[in-house]
């Protein structure tokens, strides 16, 4: 049976619009996630810089951060990609051609709304299941990294801070195994404190044993004996062993934080008479994740009016308004969660109110632009912002030219 011409044409339009959206959203998402990860990796390297044995954990830590930053970047990347596509269609007069051919703005926006629905399902997976497990895995790896055993080397000016061992040296050779001006404070098996100072020390990791043999020269050893009295030993050479400590304590089980619970676990925990986490906190976290996921299909309704209202070469005002709206939505959800957790508001009302406000605003903006695309309720605001930005640029350029004259 032949396919009607109109149906085939509409399917071709859908494929064309989706193809235009694909690479911008992939590019925006990739750039945003990578930028966020690089900033966090630099901080992790600084935190774990005390021991070279801990640098191996950075890759695992960064991998466990991907779902978190993916959830943060997805709404922004989706909107920026939509804005790029819409302005491209507007600049090429393709929107006008589609409208002239009988397609409504609602029909043009339909494939983008379908992408938003797909991203909602994807976000539920990310927010609901990937993030809780990756958050706990990140904390577990960080716990292991912070408590990771000393590798038998020490750089000058650094220190080893373990539960029963504190050691520092003013200087060290490039290999980190010959130290100068050494200070050691440690506790023995009975919990008695011992302090050792030495002019120099040679370190040698024992093969197959989790200890380091230290040959100390010209120093003192001060410690408590069995009767609780301090004894001082002055030595020319003194040999002792220092353990390569492993993880000091086991990490708590997953679920002590509401952000480590999946959507199903949040709902089940909230039904218990005495949950580990307060019920209001559980519900606020549950509703917050759902609101962030279900807001995505409304982004095309907001992107179309702002993208069409921005004239060619003057896209900045529309992006500024969109950025302010997205930030306001995120912060209002965080405020609602805080109010719900403190008992000052009901969780459903605290999260539902900003969700309804912003989704209603998106629908109102889109409906207002259907009959006259480009003439939206905020068109005048965008126009005035554009004029202000142009004037500011001219004023800045004239001052710069006068300063260089």
């Amino acid at each position: 049976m032949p396919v009607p011409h109109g149906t085939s044409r509409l399917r071709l339009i859908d494929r064309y619009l989706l193809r235009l959206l694909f690479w911008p959203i992939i590019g925006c998402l990739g750039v945003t996630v990578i930028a966020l990860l690089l900033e966090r990796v630099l901080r992790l390297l600084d935190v774990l810089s005390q021991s070279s044995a801990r640098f191996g954990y950075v890759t695992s830590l960064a991998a466990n951060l991907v779902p978190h930053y993916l959830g943060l970047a997805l709404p922004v990347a989706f909107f920026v990609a939509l804005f790029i596509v819409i302005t491209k269609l507007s600049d090429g007069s393709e929107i006008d051609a589609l409208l002239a051919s009988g397609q409504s703005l609602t029909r043009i926006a339909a494939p983008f709304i379908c992408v938003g629905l797909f991203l909602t399902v994807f976000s539920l997976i990310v927010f609901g299941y990937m993030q809780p497990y990756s958050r706990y895995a990140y904390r577990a790896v960080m716990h292991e990294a912070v408590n990771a055993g000393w590798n038998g080397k020490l750089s000058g000016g650094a220190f080893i801070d373990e539960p029963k061992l504190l050691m520092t040296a003013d200087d060290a050779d490039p290999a980190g195994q010959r130290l100068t001006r050494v200070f050691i404070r440690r506790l023995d098996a009975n919990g008695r404190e011992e302090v050792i100072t030495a002019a120099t020390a040679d370190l040698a990791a024992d093969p197959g044993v989790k200890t380091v043999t230290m040959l100390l020269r010209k120093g003192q050893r001060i410690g408590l004996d069995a009767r609780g009295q301090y004894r001082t030993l002055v030595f020319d050479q003194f040999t002792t062993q220092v353990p390569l400590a492993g993880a000091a304590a086991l990490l708590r089980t997953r679920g002590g934080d509401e952000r480590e619970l999946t959507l199903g676990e949040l709902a089940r925990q909230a039904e218990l008479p005495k949950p580990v986490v307060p019920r209001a906190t559980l519900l606020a976290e549950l509703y917050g994740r759902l609101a962030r996921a279900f807001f995505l299909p409304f982004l095309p309704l907001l992107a179309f009016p702002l993208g069409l209202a921005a004239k060619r070469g003057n896209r900045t005002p529309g992006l500024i308004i969109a950025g302010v709206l997205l930030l306001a939505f995120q912060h209002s959800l965080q405020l609602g969660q805080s109010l719900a957790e403190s008992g000052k508001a009901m969780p459903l009302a605290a999260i539902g109110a900003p969700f309804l406000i912003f989704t209603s605003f998106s629908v109102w903006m889109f409906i207002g632009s259907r009959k006259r695309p480009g003439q939206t309720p905020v068109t005048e605001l965008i126009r005035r912002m554009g004029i202000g930005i142009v004037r500011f640029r001219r004023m800045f350029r004239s001052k710069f030219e006068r300063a260089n004259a």
Side-chain angles (χ1 to χ4, degrees):
M1 181 177 179
V3 179
H5 176 70
T7 304
S8 176
R9 181 164 53 88
L10 293 180
R11 290 178 179 175
L12 180 62
I13 292 172
D14 293 337
R15 291 197 297 269
Y16 175 67
L17 295 176
L18 293 176
R19 189 165 61 250
L20 287 178
L21 181 66
F22 179 77
W23 287 115
I25 193 172
I26 293 297
C28 292
L29 192 60
V31 169
T32 306
V33 172
I34 290 173
L36 292 171
L37 275 176
L38 286 177
E39 188 273 337
R40 190 62 175 270
V41 166
L42 290 176
R43 284 192 286 159
L44 289 173
L45 289 173
D46 182 61
V47 171
L48 303 178
S49 62
Q50 294 180 6
S51 171
S52 59
R54 296 173 179 173
F55 284 110
Y57 293 97
V58 173
T59 303
S60 298
L61 290 170
N64 286 311
L65 285 171
V66 170
H68 172 69
Y69 286 126
L70 187 62
L72 289 179
L74 189 58
V76 177
F78 184 38
F79 186 88
V80 172
L82 286 169
F83 200 87
I84 291 172
V85 172
I86 292 167
T87 54
K88 180 180 180 181
L89 293 173
S90 179
D91 290 347
S93 300
E94 293 176 89
I95 291 287
D96 297 332
L98 289 172
L99 294 173
S101 68
Q103 305 302 318
S104 66
L105 195 63
T106 304
R107 181 62 187 85
I108 298 172
F112 300 133
I113 296 174
C114 291
V115 173
L117 293 172
F118 169 79
L119 292 179
T120 295
V121 177
F122 178 71
S123 295
L124 289 174
I125 297 173
V126 173
F127 288 130
Y129 297 94
M130 292 177 64
Q131 278 191 9
Y133 283 102
S134 66
R135 185 181 296 274
Y136 180 78
Y138 172 84
R139 291 176 175 174
V141 175
M142 177 59 77
H143 176 82
E144 184 179 354
V146 170
N147 294 285
W150 174 43
N151 66 346
K153 300 179 182 180
L154 186 67
S155 58
F159 61 91
I160 303 299
D161 188 4
E162 300 289 352
K164 294 185 178 182
L165 172 66
L166 174 64
M167 185 172 70
T168 183
D170 289 351
D171 198 7
D173 67 347
Q177 294 180 327
R178 183 172 181 82
L179 313 179
T180 304
R181 293 184 293 278
V182 181
F183 173 85
I184 302 172
R185 176 190 176 275
R186 64 184 179 181
L187 300 178
D188 61 16
N190 297 319
R192 291 192 295 263
E193 183 182 32
E194 180 183 58
V195 175
I196 302 174
T197 61
T200 62
D202 291 329
L203 311 182
D206 299 332
V209 182
K210 293 186 177 182
T211 58
V212 171
T213 299
M214 301 182 64
L215 177 58
L216 304 163
R217 296 184 178 89
K218 296 182 180 180
Q220 291 184 348
R221 178 188 182 189
I222 305 172
L224 288 171
D225 59 16
R227 293 179 294 179
Q229 296 179 347
Y230 281 98
R231 299 290 184 182
T232 301
L233 172 66
V234 179
F235 57 84
D236 287 328
Q237 287 191 357
F238 179 73
T239 302
T240 185
Q241 288 186 326
V242 179
L244 293 175
L250 294 177
L251 184 68
R252 60 169 174 78
T253 57
R254 187 178 65 87
D257 187 336
E258 69 277 3
R259 293 173 297 177
E260 297 173 359
L261 298 174
T262 65
L263 290 176
E265 290 170 342
L266 285 171
R268 288 192 295 271
Q269 287 281 339
E271 295 176 355
L272 297 177
K274 293 182 179 181
V276 177
V277 181
R279 185 173 183 273
T281 303
L282 294 170
L283 291 177
E285 179 69 18
L286 175 62
Y287 296 149
R289 294 188 201 177
L290 294 176
R292 289 180 178 88
F294 284 104
F295 182 67
L296 291 173
F298 293 91
L299 287 178
L301 306 183
L302 184 63
F304 262 91
L306 293 178
L308 295 177
K311 300 302 180 182
R312 183 176 302 177
N314 191 19
R315 311 300 185 191
T316 306
L319 282 175
I320 292 175
I321 293 177
V324 170
L325 290 173
L326 290 177
L327 283 175
F329 176 68
Q330 292 294 334
H331 286 294
S332 64
L333 289 182
Q334 292 177 0
L335 176 61
Q337 287 185 245
S338 299
L339 292 175
E341 291 172 4
S342 62
K344 297 179 180 179
M346 297 295 293
L348 183 59
I351 303 299
F355 177 79
L356 289 177
I357 290 173
F358 282 95
T359 53
S360 300
F361 179 78
S362 301
V363 173
W364 174 68
M365 286 274 292
F366 185 78
I367 292 176
S369 65
R370 283 194 308 173
K371 293 184 180 180
R372 299 182 64 184
Q375 298 298 319
T376 69
V378 297
T379 300
E380 183 63 19
L381 175 61
I382 293 177
R383 186 183 70 82
R384 290 182 179 274
M385 287 182 62
I387 294 173
I389 292 173
V390 171
R391 288 178 178 175
F392 177 78
R393 287 175 178 173
R394 289 175 180 173
M395 180 179 65
F396 182 79
R397 188 183 299 114
S398 62
K399 289 184 177 180
F400 181 77
E401 290 173 354
R402 286 197 300 268
N404 293 333

